[in-house]
Every structure is written in C-alpha cells, then in structure tokens.
Amino acid sequence: MSFLMGPALLFCPADRPERYQKAAERADAVILDLEDAVAPADKQRARGAILAQLGSAGDVPELDPSRTIIRVNPAGTEEFEKDLHCLKHTPYRHVMLAKAESAAQLKELEGYGVIALCETAAGIVNAAAIAAEPNVVALMWGAEDLLASLGGTSSRGDDGGYRAVALHARSTVLLAARAAGKEAVDSVYVNIPDLEGLAAESRDAVASGFGSKACIHPNQVAVVREAYAPSEADVAAATELLAAAAAAGTGVFQYKGKMIDGPILKHAEATLRRAAR
C-alpha cells in the first residue's frame, strides 16, 4: 500500500463531526484525530462520531477513504485497543500511529497503511527500523511531543527557528523514510497567524524532500499547496531539460553552460511529479 495523499494534510478533531466535510473540502487529505485533539472523557464519543457518519451498510462513509487518515492513540494503551475495534467497522485503512516507538508496535496494525508519527526520543532513534516495516507507508515527525519527551520546554528558539535537536529529528525521520522507500511528512507549524513563516518552512520541506506537510488550520492549506506547486516556468524548464537529456543520450552532458548529470535530472523529474500531483 503506497501513500499518495497530500501535499496538504489537515488535522480535524474526531469529536467534531460537523467539521469533517469542511476539512475534506479544504485539504488534500483529512486526519481525523482520536489522540491529542480529543479530551480523555470525549474519546469514546469521538469514535462514535466516526462510526455515525458511515452509511447504513457501513461502507458508504461521508469521507473518501482514499483521502482519510485516522490518528489513533499510542500502541499499548487501552484507548489504542478501542480505536482498533472502531476501525474494524469502517472502510478507513490509513492510520497514523501516535508516538510510534518501535517496529514491534507496527505488527499490531497489519492490514493498515500506517503513517508512523515519530515524536518521542525512542521514536526518533528507532525511525529506520520503523520505516522498514512492510505496512508503514510514511513517517512523520512531531516537534513539541519530542521536546516534552526530552524534558525540554520548546522546539523553537526566540527567532522562531527549530532548535538543533529538533532539526536533527526532522532530518533523521526524512532520511529513514526515504532510505526505506517510504514517504516523509513534515511536522505542523503551530503559529497559525504566521503564514509567512509557514510558507518559508513549507518551501524548505519541498526542497529537502518531504512529500507532504501537516496542517492544523484550514488557512494553512493554501500556503502549503502553493509551496509544493511548481511555477509554470519551473515546469517548462524541467521539461526542456529532460528533453535535452533524452536528445543527448549520454550520462553527463552540457546544457546552457552547466554540467548535467543524474541527480540534476532527478530534481527535474521531481518537479514534474509535483506538477502532476
């Protein structure tokens, strides 16, 4: 099972069913959150809301299963077991595992395409082993939960940029995902009004190799999409370059005064894939 959602993934509290359709209309995919976005006393109601929006036969959901992810509670918890019981009665087969920390946890989610959310020290350290599991389709990282697991207070410095340990975690998850041939999802940007900062971080995510970025507010979706969408000039340049490569018929050739080889052609191919997406 591959992961083709994105580039803008929008979290929606699972206990707010009135927001489900609105989220689906605004984003490329919706993450119905049964974990942090839902208070402990409301989790059962949230699971009931997911089940309530199914058709009478249980197979005609309000949300498109190909564009819906369910974030479940951490493995080993009572809420996780209840989440799985709920999922068995739905057509949703993409799951985000909160606080994923080991490959063994993924075996409890056989049959689902799992986005493993590495957001603790153990999850970051074990990212490569987690990514190697067959049912893992993507890795995502989480900054604030990570710093909390370290005993820290904030993932960002006074200038708004990530602290070194957060940047290390971000790179670790990206490298682990790509080494295993899986997708990588960049973390959320929590300063909702700062769309300029979000745009800069989204452009960096694109340039670094993240295939998608998670959002926590509908207003962030357009910013992320714009960062991932190549301009017409970018598409034209990539198309022209690849055509020149085909005409050259060699591994390395000169184009507009520059040496062109495999990695540069892969950049051009990635640009066209984003455009098609």
Side-chain angles (χ1 to χ4, degrees), residues 100-124:
E101 294 191 329
S102 72
Q105 294 174 341
L106 279 303
K107 299 187 186 304
E108 299 185 60
L109 289 165
E110 289 184 2
Y112 294 96
V114 183
I115 298 92
L117 179 48
C118 300
E119 51 183 343
T120 66
I124 300 300

Side-chain angles (χ1 to χ4, degrees), residues 81-98:
E81 297 300 329
K82 292 178 179 179
D83 293 344
L84 288 191
H85 180 74
C86 169
L87 281 173
K88 289 177 182 177
H89 299 282
T90 77
Y92 302 126
R93 288 299 174 264
H94 277 94
V95 174
M96 178 177 287
L97 176 61

